[in-house]
Amino acid sequence: QVQLVESGGGLVQTGGSLRLSCAASGTIFRINAMGWYRQAPGKQRDLVAQITSDSITNYADSVKGRFTISRDNAKNTVYLQMNNLKPEDTAVYYCYSDLVSLTGRRDYWGQGTQVTVSS
């Protein structure tokens, strides 16, 4: 069974940095893309960043120049380096992966990790 496990969230002051990690495990045949969504209280879940199997990246306008997504193919792990954090970055961050497993192609989600940026 495929699982995505996140780590790296926490509390940080405005201008600080955090690095989120997300590792996929299970019987995985192919990972087409991995990335991060976030959801602030009272708001919908929005895409933050994603990276495809051929290293094409996409970022939300609000994080361009501050966040960097990367991956380690040997570990089936995706990272989100977050620099110059702002209070508006406060949210639960969810890892996702578009992958092919024994049950076919679908999206999988991590458990979520809280990022809080103090003003």
Side-chain angles (χ1 to χ4, degrees), residues 6 10 58 64 85 103 107:
E6 304 179 30
N58 185 41
K64 287 181 179 178
L85 283 161
T103 58
D107 287 349

Side-chain angles (χ1 to χ4, degrees), residues 50-62:
Q50 65 180 11
I51 184 167
T52 67
S53 60
D54 54 353
S55 299
I56 298 173
T57 58
N58 185 41
Y59 297 92
D61 288 341
S62 59

